[in-house]
Amino acid sequence: MLSTTSEYGVLGVRDVDFRLERFAPSADLADLVERHWEVTWELPPGRSASVTLLPHPCVNVVLDGGRLAVAGVGRDRFTYRYTGAGRVFGTKFRPGAFLPFLGEPVSSITDATVPASSVWGSSTEELAASMQGPAAASIARMEGFLRERWPEPDPNVELVGRIVGALLRDREVARVEEVVERFGIPARTLQRLFNRYVGVSPKWVLRRFRLHEAAARLAEEQERPWAEVAAELGYFDQSHFIRDFTAAVGLTPVAYAQACRRREEPVSA
C-alpha cells in the first residue's frame, strides 16, 4: 500500500547519534499499520544527545524503557534526550486507523500519551515483557497481539486514508476547500470525521506535511532560497509561510537553514 505519512519529521542536520530503522508490516495488517520502527543508540560515557521531532498525524504504540504506551498525535515539536545505550520500538498506525482499537474519538488522546493497558488491559504487561529482544521478535509479538484483537472493517478508515493520501502527495490540493470539492464531503462532516478518526483537523494535516517537506529541503539544500521552497509547496504568501514554519519549528526559515549549515541542533526543547 502507498504510504499515508511523510518520510520526514526529524529536524535539522547533525552527526548521527542514533540509528533509525523502519520495517514494513505484514501484508494482512497493512490496512491499519503504516510501519514498525526502532531507534537504537550507544553513546560514550558522559555524553548525551538529543533529537527534535515534528510529529506525524498518527498514533504510535511505543515501547520505551520496558513500558508500553499509546502516543496520540502530538501537535507540537518535541525533543527526546538520551544517554548511554538504549532502544525505543514503535508501531505506527495509519492516520485514522487506530480508532477501531481505541473505540472513542482519537482526539481524546491528541497531545497525550497513555498506558497501553488503558486500551487493551493488563495483557499489555506480558506483551511489553516479551518485546525486549531484537526488532524481528518485537514485530512478531506486536503483530500477533494485534491479530488477536483485529477490529471489524470500518469504511471510514479507508476514506480517511484516501483523503490523507491526497493531502500528502497532491500539490493541487492546497486548501481544505479543495478536499471538500474533490471528495464530495461537506466541510463540517470532514471536520467531524478527522476529529473522530485522526485527532486533528485536515488543515493541520495539510500544513504539517508541507512543513515536514520544507524543513527537510532547507536542511538538505541549505543555500537554496527559502521563498522558492515555500512556493513549490503551495505557500504563495511568504509571510504566511514564515508564521507557520516558525510556529512549528521554533526558528524562521533563514535561521533554521543557518543552524543546519552550522550543524547545530536547530531548536531547543
Side-chain angles (χ1 to χ4, degrees):
M1 292 183 65
L2 288 174
S3 173
T4 48
T5 63
S6 76
E7 297 301 309
Y8 309 119
V10 178
L11 295 178
V13 173
R14 63 181 70 85
D15 295 333
V16 176
D17 293 312
F18 62 89
R19 181 181 183 185
L20 168 63
E21 293 185 273
R22 295 170 171 140
F23 309 92
S26 295
D28 61 316
L29 306 185
D31 284 347
L32 302 184
V33 176
E34 180 80 30
R35 57 177 170 252
H36 307 284
W37 53 268
E38 182 182 62
V39 175
T40 55
W41 64 89
E42 187 170 357
L43 300 179
R47 181 181 172 189
S48 63
S50 64
V51 59
T52 300
L53 307 171
L54 203 58
H56 293 163
C58 300
V59 172
N60 286 262
V61 175
V62 180
L63 179 69
D64 186 1
R67 290 173 293 186
L68 198 66
V70 175
V73 178
R75 286 176 289 195
D76 296 327
R77 66 184 183 276
F78 73 94
T79 297
Y80 186 94
R81 301 189 183 279
Y82 51 98
T83 188
R87 166 187 185 252
V88 178
F89 175 86
T91 295
K92 181 178 186 178
F93 290 79
R94 294 181 180 275
F98 196 70
L99 180 135
F101 295 102
L102 186 63
E104 59 184 280
V106 178
S107 58
S108 67
I109 58 169
T110 295
D111 292 326
T113 298
V114 300
S117 59
S118 67
V119 178
W120 289 301
S122 60
S123 59
T124 57
E125 296 175 8
E126 181 180 348
L127 174 63
S130 72
M131 293 172 61
Q132 302 300 321
S138 296
I139 291 169
R141 297 285 191 277
M142 176 59 74
E143 292 197 339
F145 182 88
L146 292 175
R147 285 191 184 97
E148 292 174 358
R149 295 156 178 81
W150 203 248
E152 292 297 318
D154 182 339
N156 282 331
V157 171
E158 190 273 336
L159 173 60
V160 167
R162 288 194 290 118
I163 295 171
V164 171
L167 296 174
L168 172 64
R169 290 183 291 272
D170 194 338
R171 285 291 176 267
E172 294 182 0
V173 176
R175 298 182 305 152
V176 173
E177 291 78 7
E178 289 158 355
V179 176
V180 169
E181 182 177 350
R182 175 172 300 190
F183 289 90
I185 301 175
R188 289 187 178 181
T189 301
L190 180 65
Q191 294 288 348
R192 287 196 296 269
L193 185 69
F194 267 62
N195 178 76
R196 180 167 176 77
Y197 282 83
V198 185
V200 288
S201 71
K203 182 178 180 180
W204 186 95
V205 174
L206 177 60
R207 180 186 297 138
R208 178 53 53 93
F209 284 156
R210 298 301 181 261
L211 292 174
H212 273 166
E213 191 164 351
R217 291 194 190 183
L218 290 173
E220 295 164 2
E221 307 171 43
Q222 298 150 13
E223 303 299 331
R224 192 173 181 199
W226 65 264
E228 184 178 299
V229 172
E232 286 184 3
L233 297 176
Y235 276 95
F236 302 110
D237 182 334
Q238 294 184 4
S239 63
H240 187 190
F241 174 72
I242 293 172
R243 286 195 303 271
D244 283 356
F245 190 93
T246 304
V249 175
L251 294 173
T252 67
V254 170
Y256 178 79
Q258 290 173 345
C260 291
R261 280 197 291 272
R262 295 190 297 265
R263 301 188 69 81
E264 295 176 350
E265 186 177 352
V267 295
S268 60

Tab-separated table of all heavy atoms in Angstrom, residues 60-109:
chain	number	residue	atom	x	y	z
A	60	ASN	N	0.967	6.096	17.661
A	60	ASN	CA	2.019	5.092	17.780
A	60	ASN	C	1.839	4.312	19.076
A	60	ASN	O	1.476	4.881	20.108
A	60	ASN	CB	3.400	5.739	17.803
A	60	ASN	CG	3.842	6.244	16.437
A	60	ASN	OD1	4.586	5.563	15.735
A	60	ASN	ND2	3.400	7.438	16.056
A	61	VAL	N	2.117	3.022	19.017
A	61	VAL	CA	2.262	2.225	20.230
A	61	VAL	C	3.761	2.080	20.446
A	61	VAL	O	4.483	1.580	19.570
A	61	VAL	CB	1.582	0.857	20.096
A	61	VAL	CG1	1.844	0.000	21.336
A	61	VAL	CG2	0.077	1.034	19.903
A	62	VAL	N	4.247	2.540	21.601
A	62	VAL	CA	5.677	2.714	21.815
A	62	VAL	C	6.143	1.945	23.037
A	62	VAL	O	5.542	2.039	24.117
A	62	VAL	CB	6.020	4.214	21.990
A	62	VAL	CG1	7.523	4.400	22.203
A	62	VAL	CG2	5.544	5.017	20.780
A	63	LEU	N	7.241	1.197	22.866
A	63	LEU	CA	7.914	0.530	23.968
A	63	LEU	C	9.175	1.309	24.280
A	63	LEU	O	10.099	1.384	23.466
A	63	LEU	CB	8.267	-0.909	23.593
A	63	LEU	CG	9.009	-1.712	24.667
A	63	LEU	CD1	8.089	-2.004	25.850
A	63	LEU	CD2	9.567	-3.008	24.085
A	64	ASP	N	9.226	1.901	25.470
A	64	ASP	CA	10.358	2.734	25.873
A	64	ASP	C	10.667	2.441	27.330
A	64	ASP	O	9.829	2.660	28.203
A	64	ASP	CB	10.017	4.217	25.678
A	64	ASP	CG	11.213	5.139	25.940
A	64	ASP	OD1	12.304	4.633	26.248
A	64	ASP	OD2	11.036	6.365	25.831
A	65	GLY	N	11.859	1.920	27.579
A	65	GLY	CA	12.231	1.617	28.950
A	65	GLY	C	11.400	0.540	29.598
A	65	GLY	O	11.183	0.562	30.817
A	66	GLY	N	10.905	-0.404	28.812
A	66	GLY	CA	10.121	-1.502	29.359
A	66	GLY	C	8.654	-1.210	29.519
A	66	GLY	O	7.881	-2.094	29.896
A	67	ARG	N	8.245	0.023	29.242
A	67	ARG	CA	6.842	0.393	29.379
A	67	ARG	C	6.202	0.565	28.004
A	67	ARG	O	6.790	1.194	27.124
A	67	ARG	CB	6.701	1.676	30.184
A	67	ARG	CG	7.046	1.503	31.654
A	67	ARG	CD	7.063	2.815	32.392
A	67	ARG	NE	8.154	3.673	31.933
A	67	ARG	CZ	8.473	4.828	32.481
A	67	ARG	NH1	7.760	5.305	33.484
A	67	ARG	NH2	9.486	5.534	32.030
A	68	LEU	N	5.014	0.036	27.845
A	68	LEU	CA	4.300	0.112	26.577
A	68	LEU	C	3.211	1.175	26.698
A	68	LEU	O	2.397	1.144	27.619
A	68	LEU	CB	3.676	-1.242	26.242
A	68	LEU	CG	3.260	-1.461	24.782
A	68	LEU	CD1	4.477	-1.475	23.862
A	68	LEU	CD2	2.506	-2.787	24.655
A	69	ALA	N	3.222	2.134	25.766
A	69	ALA	CA	2.290	3.255	25.830
A	69	ALA	C	1.693	3.522	24.459
A	69	ALA	O	2.253	3.136	23.421
A	69	ALA	CB	2.994	4.507	26.338
A	70	VAL	N	0.552	4.185	24.455
A	70	VAL	CA	-0.098	4.644	23.235
A	70	VAL	C	0.099	6.152	23.157
A	70	VAL	O	-0.349	6.880	24.054
A	70	VAL	CB	-1.592	4.293	23.222
A	70	VAL	CG1	-2.280	4.900	21.992
A	70	VAL	CG2	-1.783	2.779	23.237
A	71	ALA	N	0.775	6.598	22.122
A	71	ALA	CA	1.051	8.023	21.937
A	71	ALA	C	0.101	8.575	20.891
A	71	ALA	O	0.138	8.180	19.722
A	71	ALA	CB	2.500	8.240	21.495
A	72	GLY	N	-0.768	9.499	21.308
A	72	GLY	CA	-1.665	10.150	20.370
A	72	GLY	C	-0.918	11.131	19.497
A	72	GLY	O	0.296	11.346	19.653
A	73	VAL	N	-1.615	11.735	18.556
A	73	VAL	CA	-0.997	12.718	17.665
A	73	VAL	C	-0.495	13.894	18.499
A	73	VAL	O	-1.240	14.477	19.284
A	73	VAL	CB	-1.998	13.216	16.610
A	73	VAL	CG1	-1.358	14.288	15.723
A	73	VAL	CG2	-2.494	12.049	15.761
A	74	GLY	N	0.766	14.232	18.336
A	74	GLY	CA	1.333	15.391	19.018
A	74	GLY	C	1.358	16.579	18.075
A	74	GLY	O	1.910	16.499	16.983
A	75	ARG	N	0.773	17.669	18.496
A	75	ARG	CA	0.709	18.828	17.598
A	75	ARG	C	1.954	19.691	17.652
A	75	ARG	O	2.232	20.451	16.712
A	75	ARG	CB	-0.531	19.668	17.927
A	75	ARG	CG	-1.827	19.020	17.461
A	75	ARG	CD	-3.044	19.793	17.861
A	75	ARG	NE	-3.284	19.707	19.303
A	75	ARG	CZ	-4.426	20.053	19.882
A	75	ARG	NH1	-5.425	20.498	19.145
A	75	ARG	NH2	-4.584	19.938	21.193
A	76	ASP	N	2.720	19.583	18.720
A	76	ASP	CA	3.914	20.412	18.868
A	76	ASP	C	5.172	19.579	18.683
A	76	ASP	O	5.176	18.361	18.922
A	76	ASP	CB	3.950	21.060	20.253
A	76	ASP	CG	2.794	22.020	20.459
A	76	ASP	OD1	2.366	22.649	19.468
A	76	ASP	OD2	2.307	22.117	21.604
A	77	ARG	N	6.245	20.223	18.287
A	77	ARG	CA	7.535	19.550	18.212
A	77	ARG	C	7.932	19.107	19.621
A	77	ARG	O	7.491	19.681	20.615
A	77	ARG	CB	8.604	20.477	17.635
A	77	ARG	CG	8.941	21.656	18.517
A	77	ARG	CD	9.930	22.604	17.850
A	77	ARG	NE	10.291	23.688	18.754
A	77	ARG	CZ	9.591	24.788	18.922
A	77	ARG	NH1	8.470	24.976	18.240
A	77	ARG	NH2	10.001	25.719	19.765
A	78	PHE	N	8.755	18.072	19.689
A	78	PHE	CA	9.261	17.678	20.999
A	78	PHE	C	10.695	17.166	20.848
A	78	PHE	O	11.104	16.707	19.776
A	78	PHE	CB	8.368	16.634	21.668
A	78	PHE	CG	8.450	15.251	21.063
A	78	PHE	CD1	9.312	14.302	21.571
A	78	PHE	CD2	7.654	14.909	19.983
A	78	PHE	CE1	9.393	13.032	21.022
A	78	PHE	CE2	7.717	13.638	19.409
A	78	PHE	CZ	8.588	12.704	19.945
A	79	THR	N	11.439	17.289	21.919
A	79	THR	CA	12.837	16.883	21.933
A	79	THR	C	13.005	15.679	22.851
A	79	THR	O	12.564	15.705	24.002
A	79	THR	CB	13.742	18.035	22.402
A	79	THR	OG1	13.628	19.120	21.469
A	79	THR	CG2	15.203	17.599	22.460
A	80	TYR	N	13.632	14.630	22.318
A	80	TYR	CA	13.907	13.409	23.082
A	80	TYR	C	15.391	13.396	23.405
A	80	TYR	O	16.229	13.440	22.508
A	80	TYR	CB	13.527	12.174	22.261
A	80	TYR	CG	13.631	10.869	23.011
A	80	TYR	CD1	12.520	10.326	23.656
A	80	TYR	CD2	14.834	10.169	23.078
A	80	TYR	CE1	12.604	9.124	24.339
A	80	TYR	CE2	14.937	8.967	23.768
A	80	TYR	CZ	13.816	8.455	24.396
A	80	TYR	OH	13.911	7.262	25.076
A	81	ARG	N	15.724	13.351	24.682
A	81	ARG	CA	17.120	13.359	25.114
A	81	ARG	C	17.510	11.953	25.558
A	81	ARG	O	16.730	11.256	26.205
A	81	ARG	CB	17.314	14.372	26.247
A	81	ARG	CG	16.921	15.783	25.825
A	81	ARG	CD	17.317	16.830	26.845
A	81	ARG	NE	16.847	18.143	26.423
A	81	ARG	CZ	17.478	18.912	25.540
A	81	ARG	NH1	18.615	18.482	24.995
A	81	ARG	NH2	16.982	20.095	25.191
A	82	TYR	N	18.744	11.567	25.254
A	82	TYR	CA	19.164	10.213	25.573
A	82	TYR	C	20.653	10.182	25.897
A	82	TYR	O	21.416	11.075	25.528
A	82	TYR	CB	18.844	9.259	24.412
A	82	TYR	CG	19.337	9.719	23.062
A	82	TYR	CD1	20.534	9.238	22.536
A	82	TYR	CD2	18.604	10.625	22.298
A	82	TYR	CE1	20.986	9.650	21.292
A	82	TYR	CE2	19.050	11.046	21.056
A	82	TYR	CZ	20.239	10.549	20.567
A	82	TYR	OH	20.691	10.970	19.333
A	83	THR	N	21.033	9.143	26.607
A	83	THR	CA	22.419	8.955	27.010
A	83	THR	C	22.686	7.463	27.125
A	83	THR	O	21.749	6.647	27.123
A	83	THR	CB	22.696	9.665	28.351
A	83	THR	OG1	24.103	9.619	28.633
A	83	THR	CG2	21.926	9.010	29.482
A	84	GLY	N	23.962	7.084	27.245
A	84	GLY	CA	24.307	5.674	27.384
A	84	GLY	C	23.890	4.855	26.182
A	84	GLY	O	24.019	5.292	25.035
A	85	ALA	N	23.346	3.675	26.427
A	85	ALA	CA	22.853	2.798	25.364
A	85	ALA	C	21.372	2.561	25.590
A	85	ALA	O	20.909	2.447	26.736
A	85	ALA	CB	23.605	1.473	25.350
A	86	GLY	N	20.606	2.513	24.522
A	86	GLY	CA	19.174	2.318	24.687
A	86	GLY	C	18.466	1.993	23.394
A	86	GLY	O	19.073	1.929	22.318
A	87	ARG	N	17.165	1.821	23.533
A	87	ARG	CA	16.331	1.396	22.403
A	87	ARG	C	14.904	1.850	22.642
A	87	ARG	O	14.409	1.789	23.772
A	87	ARG	CB	16.385	-0.132	22.287
A	87	ARG	CG	15.325	-0.778	21.396
A	87	ARG	CD	15.422	-2.295	21.527
A	87	ARG	NE	14.530	-2.982	20.625
A	87	ARG	CZ	13.421	-3.621	20.999
A	87	ARG	NH1	13.050	-3.641	22.270
A	87	ARG	NH2	12.665	-4.250	20.101
A	88	VAL	N	14.247	2.283	21.582
A	88	VAL	CA	12.816	2.554	21.601
A	88	VAL	C	12.223	1.853	20.384
A	88	VAL	O	12.738	1.989	19.266
A	88	VAL	CB	12.500	4.060	21.553
A	88	VAL	CG1	10.994	4.285	21.513
A	88	VAL	CG2	13.114	4.789	22.747
A	89	PHE	N	11.159	1.103	20.595
A	89	PHE	CA	10.482	0.395	19.500
A	89	PHE	C	9.062	0.925	19.384
A	89	PHE	O	8.415	1.227	20.390
A	89	PHE	CB	10.452	-1.114	19.773
A	89	PHE	CG	9.665	-1.897	18.761
A	89	PHE	CD1	10.264	-2.340	17.588
A	89	PHE	CD2	8.320	-2.173	18.954
A	89	PHE	CE1	9.532	-3.048	16.640
A	89	PHE	CE2	7.585	-2.879	18.022
A	89	PHE	CZ	8.202	-3.318	16.863
A	90	GLY	N	8.577	1.044	18.155
A	90	GLY	CA	7.219	1.535	17.979
A	90	GLY	C	6.490	0.887	16.816
A	90	GLY	O	7.116	0.386	15.867
A	91	THR	N	5.179	0.902	16.901
A	91	THR	CA	4.301	0.516	15.792
A	91	THR	C	3.451	1.724	15.454
A	91	THR	O	2.750	2.253	16.323
A	91	THR	CB	3.419	-0.686	16.177
A	91	THR	OG1	4.260	-1.827	16.397
A	91	THR	CG2	2.425	-1.008	15.069
A	92	LYS	N	3.558	2.153	14.224
A	92	LYS	CA	2.900	3.374	13.775
A	92	LYS	C	1.662	3.008	12.956
A	92	LYS	O	1.750	2.279	11.955
A	92	LYS	CB	3.877	4.190	12.925
A	92	LYS	CG	3.349	5.504	12.406
A	92	LYS	CD	4.467	6.192	11.634
A	92	LYS	CE	4.071	7.577	11.207
A	92	LYS	NZ	5.191	8.250	10.505
A	93	PHE	N	0.526	3.519	13.365
A	93	PHE	CA	-0.728	3.237	12.668
A	93	PHE	C	-0.991	4.301	11.612
A	93	PHE	O	-0.561	5.458	11.738
A	93	PHE	CB	-1.879	3.179	13.664
A	93	PHE	CG	-1.807	1.967	14.550
A	93	PHE	CD1	-0.938	1.938	15.632
A	93	PHE	CD2	-2.577	0.844	14.287
A	93	PHE	CE1	-0.839	0.814	16.444
A	93	PHE	CE2	-2.488	-0.285	15.093
A	93	PHE	CZ	-1.611	-0.300	16.173
A	94	ARG	N	-1.685	3.929	10.588
A	94	ARG	CA	-2.046	4.885	9.548
A	94	ARG	C	-2.968	5.953	10.129
A	94	ARG	O	-3.708	5.684	11.094
A	94	ARG	CB	-2.737	4.179	8.373
A	94	ARG	CG	-1.823	3.229	7.611
A	94	ARG	CD	-2.541	2.569	6.452
A	94	ARG	NE	-1.635	1.665	5.743
A	94	ARG	CZ	-0.792	2.032	4.789
A	94	ARG	NH1	-0.754	3.304	4.408
A	94	ARG	NH2	0.000	1.163	4.201
A	95	PRO	N	-2.947	7.167	9.570
A	95	PRO	CA	-3.864	8.201	10.059
A	95	PRO	C	-5.306	7.698	10.031
A	95	PRO	O	-5.783	7.211	9.008
A	95	PRO	CB	-3.649	9.351	9.072
A	95	PRO	CG	-2.247	9.163	8.578
A	95	PRO	CD	-2.071	7.673	8.491
A	96	GLY	N	-5.979	7.789	11.147
A	96	GLY	CA	-7.366	7.344	11.239
A	96	GLY	C	-7.549	5.889	11.575
A	96	GLY	O	-8.669	5.453	11.867
A	97	ALA	N	-6.462	5.108	11.562
A	97	ALA	CA	-6.600	3.658	11.670
A	97	ALA	C	-6.577	3.124	13.087
A	97	ALA	O	-6.767	1.926	13.294
A	97	ALA	CB	-5.496	2.967	10.851
A	98	PHE	N	-6.365	3.984	14.069
A	98	PHE	CA	-6.333	3.476	15.441
A	98	PHE	C	-7.707	3.527	16.107
A	98	PHE	O	-7.928	2.860	17.117
A	98	PHE	CB	-5.320	4.262	16.285
A	98	PHE	CG	-4.951	3.561	17.566
A	98	PHE	CD1	-4.189	2.408	17.550
A	98	PHE	CD2	-5.400	4.043	18.784
A	98	PHE	CE1	-3.865	1.737	18.725
A	98	PHE	CE2	-5.080	3.385	19.977
A	98	PHE	CZ	-4.312	2.225	19.948
A	99	LEU	N	-8.636	4.292	15.546
A	99	LEU	CA	-9.944	4.394	16.185
A	99	LEU	C	-10.610	3.038	16.396
A	99	LEU	O	-11.203	2.809	17.454
A	99	LEU	CB	-10.868	5.315	15.391
A	99	LEU	CG	-12.257	5.461	16.032
A	99	LEU	CD1	-12.705	6.913	16.055
A	99	LEU	CD2	-13.296	4.615	15.298
A	100	PRO	N	-10.568	2.104	15.454
A	100	PRO	CA	-11.219	0.817	15.709
A	100	PRO	C	-10.657	0.084	16.927
A	100	PRO	O	-11.363	-0.722	17.533
A	100	PRO	CB	-10.947	0.033	14.412
A	100	PRO	CG	-10.785	1.083	13.370
A	100	PRO	CD	-10.062	2.194	14.062
A	101	PHE	N	-9.405	0.328	17.286
A	101	PHE	CA	-8.844	-0.260	18.500
A	101	PHE	C	-9.222	0.563	19.733
A	101	PHE	O	-9.527	0.012	20.785
A	101	PHE	CB	-7.315	-0.317	18.396
A	101	PHE	CG	-6.804	-1.229	17.326
A	101	PHE	CD1	-6.357	-0.716	16.122
A	101	PHE	CD2	-6.762	-2.602	17.526
A	101	PHE	CE1	-5.871	-1.546	15.124
A	101	PHE	CE2	-6.279	-3.449	16.528
A	101	PHE	CZ	-5.841	-2.918	15.327
A	102	LEU	N	-9.193	1.881	19.592
A	102	LEU	CA	-9.432	2.775	20.729
A	102	LEU	C	-10.900	2.788	21.142
A	102	LEU	O	-11.223	2.843	22.330
A	102	LEU	CB	-8.964	4.185	20.378
A	102	LEU	CG	-8.992	5.229	21.484
A	102	LEU	CD1	-8.036	4.841	22.611
A	102	LEU	CD2	-8.618	6.608	20.926
A	103	GLY	N	-11.818	2.798	20.148
A	103	GLY	CA	-13.241	2.771	20.445
A	103	GLY	C	-13.830	4.097	20.870
A	103	GLY	O	-14.979	4.145	21.317
A	104	GLU	N	-13.085	5.177	20.738
A	104	GLU	CA	-13.580	6.515	21.038
A	104	GLU	C	-12.811	7.486	20.160
A	104	GLU	O	-11.803	7.114	19.534
A	104	GLU	CB	-13.392	6.863	22.510
A	104	GLU	CG	-11.951	6.809	22.993
A	104	GLU	CD	-11.855	7.082	24.484
A	104	GLU	OE1	-11.898	8.272	24.858
A	104	GLU	OE2	-11.744	6.110	25.258
A	105	PRO	N	-13.257	8.746	20.040
A	105	PRO	CA	-12.572	9.678	19.149
A	105	PRO	C	-11.071	9.764	19.439
A	105	PRO	O	-10.657	9.861	20.598
A	105	PRO	CB	-13.266	11.013	19.429
A	105	PRO	CG	-14.642	10.617	19.858
A	105	PRO	CD	-14.465	9.350	20.642
A	106	VAL	N	-10.279	9.695	18.393
A	106	VAL	CA	-8.826	9.754	18.557
A	106	VAL	C	-8.400	11.107	19.121
A	106	VAL	O	-7.342	11.224	19.749
A	106	VAL	CB	-8.128	9.440	17.214
A	106	VAL	CG1	-6.614	9.549	17.330
A	106	VAL	CG2	-8.495	8.023	16.763
A	107	SER	N	-9.229	12.123	18.941
A	107	SER	CA	-8.927	13.431	19.531
A	107	SER	C	-8.859	13.355	21.052
A	107	SER	O	-8.279	14.241	21.697
A	107	SER	CB	-9.971	14.465	19.110
A	107	SER	OG	-11.272	14.054	19.488
A	108	SER	N	-9.424	12.297	21.647
A	108	SER	CA	-9.382	12.164	23.108
A	108	SER	C	-7.970	11.894	23.617
A	108	SER	O	-7.704	12.072	24.821
A	108	SER	CB	-10.317	11.041	23.569
A	108	SER	OG	-9.848	9.769	23.130
A	109	ILE	N	-7.055	11.460	22.733
A	109	ILE	CA	-5.669	11.244	23.152
A	109	ILE	C	-4.696	12.135	22.374
A	109	ILE	O	-3.486	11.916	22.427
A	109	ILE	CB	-5.249	9.757	23.025
A	109	ILE	CG1	-5.409	9.253	21.583
A	109	ILE	CG2	-6.044	8.889	23.991
A	109	ILE	CD1	-4.773	7.886	21.358
